[in-house]
Amino acid sequence: MDKISFSIVVASKGRVALLADLMKSIQAAREHYGGKCEVLIVDDSEPEECRQIQDACRDYGCLYRYYKEAVSAKRNYGAQQAKHEVILFLDSDCIATEHILERYAEKYNDSKVAAVAGPLEFVGPDTWFWKAIEATPYLTCFYLPKYVPKLEWGVTANFSVRREVFLEVGGFDEGFRRPAGEDVDLGLLIREAGYEINGAPEALVYHSKKTWIPFRSMVRRLKFYGTADCDLIAKHPGRGEIVLPKRTHMYAAYAALLLAAALLSGEWLLLLGIPGIILLENVAGSLLVNRISQEKKASFSQQMMAQFLIHDSESAYLRRCLGTGNFAAIRKQMVYYLGQYNGMLDIGSYNIWVTYGCLALIALLVLFAV
């Protein structure tokens, strides 16, 4: 029986050193596998970086394609250029393990399986900010293929799919121009078409922390995540679940109550209560989360930063809902995987007590001012 053949597609822009490390790791994986495997680098770097990447492609036996488009369009272009049976998408800031192709090929021996996702392990220094990132829920999806045998989608940093199925469902929706949401959408389309997505626990890649740790980069990433949540609910309405009001919504409510009280009473000092209440709510929320967390890895200050990052994403979600007129989605939460909804209810039940406390404090402030 012939081995499964692979086309590895990597969308890139800059990151020359990281991309060269990835190509080197892929070369080792191809040598271990021994079956047919091509590598397509779809890139739109600046001219000098293009030359360096092309040199690396020659060194490691990769095909270079220049294509100046958003990430989802680059991946579609790479898939259209691909010649082999299975397309494996990897990110340019990752390192493939040497047996990754064997582990993926084992899963495709089952004809029912249309796509397979592998887990990611983040590598690099555990900085103060990284510990704050770990305290957010945004890393969970990267680990799921290690523990869940059947998935609904997979992160494109390490995701494979039969080429014929990829083309059948239309590939990545290029409406997701920012790097967020298009991989979730693809997985849901594959499942809705009646196909199966499996997890391959040992098809591991290592993901560099370097591209996540810069504060501005992470804030920008989470804005993309928040925007994508709204777009995903619009496209897949069944994935949006009504939840208790999000904390960003409550901040707007606190501000409105204190502003109304200031207008009615003429006590403009009440407006100082707006940042005070929000700060107090974050302090209380951080203490509560640390108290109920089963793994207390984050310090109080890191938990405070984690709450800021969550609010950053939620704010982007709210702005997207308002900007697109999708007002019904404002009270919803995108559900990415089984078990998430129960977790949302658990956290919401704790947060509601913090909200009650803040509303009571606002009432006291208003009574005192009047």
Side-chain angles (χ1 to χ4, degrees):
M1 183 177 178
D2 292 338
K3 286 187 173 183
I4 298 291
S5 61
F6 289 92
S7 293
I8 300 176
V9 174
V10 181
S12 69
K13 185 178 181 68
R15 298 178 176 176
V16 176
L18 289 172
L19 182 57
D21 288 342
L22 171 61
M23 285 191 271
K24 182 178 180 181
S25 72
I26 292 173
Q27 183 186 52
R30 293 166 76 184
E31 291 172 356
H32 274 93
Y33 183 55
K36 293 180 181 179
C37 180
E38 64 177 352
V39 184
L40 295 99
I41 307 298
V42 185
D43 176 65
D44 67 333
S45 299
E46 296 301 320
E48 178 55 34
E49 291 177 322
C50 278
R51 285 191 287 271
Q52 294 174 30
I53 292 171
Q54 288 170 343
D55 289 343
C57 284
R58 284 190 287 270
D59 291 341
Y60 296 113
C62 302
L63 302 172
Y64 181 87
R65 299 287 185 268
Y66 185 87
Y67 193 67
K68 191 174 179 61
E69 281 292 343
V71 172
S72 54
K74 284 181 182 177
R75 291 184 178 128
N76 283 340
Y77 178 79
Q80 290 159 7
Q81 298 280 309
K83 297 178 181 177
H84 293 311
E85 183 180 357
V86 171
I87 302 168
L88 171 57
F89 295 101
L90 298 175
D91 274 2
S92 60
D93 50 356
C94 292
I95 298 291
T97 48
E98 60 184 8
H99 296 292
I100 187 172
L101 295 175
E102 291 103 308
R103 301 292 83 84
Y104 270 122
E106 290 167 358
K107 294 291 184 179
Y108 283 106
N109 286 328
D110 186 343
S111 60
K112 295 183 298 183
V113 177
V116 183
L120 288 91
E121 181 179 322
F122 285 87
V123 293
D126 281 336
T127 63
W128 180 92
F129 187 55
W130 179 256
K131 288 292 187 183
I133 294 172
E134 284 188 318
T136 70
Y138 301 114
L139 299 182
T140 303
C141 58
F142 294 94
Y143 307 135
L144 282 181
K146 188 174 182 179
Y147 305 106
V148 181
K150 295 188 186 300
L151 300 162
E152 296 183 89
W153 64 281
V155 178
T156 39
N158 186 16
F159 183 77
S160 66
V161 58
R162 294 189 192 272
R163 184 174 184 271
E164 60 182 18
V165 174
F166 181 85
L167 297 177
E168 177 188 331
V169 301
F172 293 106
D173 183 344
E174 296 181 16
F176 293 90
R177 295 189 57 79
R178 295 165 174 172
E182 76 280 1
D183 46 6
V184 184
D185 176 61
L186 175 65
L188 296 180
L189 291 174
I190 291 170
R191 289 296 304 275
E192 288 166 7
Y195 296 108
E196 190 173 300
I197 302 174
N198 279 9
E202 296 179 351
L204 175 69
V205 304
Y206 297 108
H207 193 301
S208 174
K209 294 177 183 175
K210 289 181 181 179
T211 53
W212 280 58
I213 285 177
F215 176 76
R216 291 180 64 183
S217 174
M218 190 62 191
V219 167
R220 183 169 175 264
R221 181 189 301 274
L222 293 182
K223 282 184 168 59
F224 293 166
Y225 286 0
T227 299
D229 275 6
C230 178
D231 294 342
L232 285 166
I233 290 174
K235 188 170 182 181
H236 304 275
R239 306 295 298 193
E241 293 285 355
I242 296 174
V243 294
L244 294 167
K246 297 182 180 182
R247 291 165 70 186
T248 45
H249 302 167
M250 293 312 303
Y251 296 162
Y254 301 154
L257 287 171
L258 286 167
L259 177 59
L263 288 169
L264 291 172
S265 67
E267 294 292 340
W268 298 106
L269 286 176
L270 282 171
L271 297 180
L272 296 177
I274 296 175
I277 287 289
I278 292 174
L279 176 61
L280 181 63
E281 196 268 3
N282 274 274
V283 169
S286 297
L287 289 171
L288 186 60
V289 170
N290 264 355
R291 184 175 180 80
I292 65 175
S293 176
Q294 295 179 354
E295 296 183 13
K296 296 182 180 179
K297 294 181 179 180
S299 66
F300 171 72
S301 60
Q302 288 163 344
Q303 192 60 249
M304 284 283 286
M305 176 55 71
Q307 298 308 307
F308 168 80
L309 294 174
I310 292 169
H311 300 332
D312 175 49
S313 185
E314 284 190 359
S315 298
Y317 174 80
L318 182 59
R319 290 195 300 272
R320 183 67 170 177
C321 290
L322 294 173
T324 58
N326 190 4
F327 303 118
I330 290 174
R331 59 202 179 112
K332 293 182 179 180
Q333 172 75 44
M334 176 67 190
V335 178
Y336 285 97
Y337 50 85
L338 295 175
Q340 178 188 337
Y341 188 59
N342 290 336
M344 286 163 14
L345 290 176
D346 289 341
I347 293 296
S349 65
Y350 287 107
N351 283 339
I352 199 68
W353 290 104
V354 176
T355 300
Y356 285 154
C358 290
L359 290 173
L361 184 56
I362 289 173
L364 289 173
L365 286 173
V366 172
L367 289 172
F368 181 77
V370 173

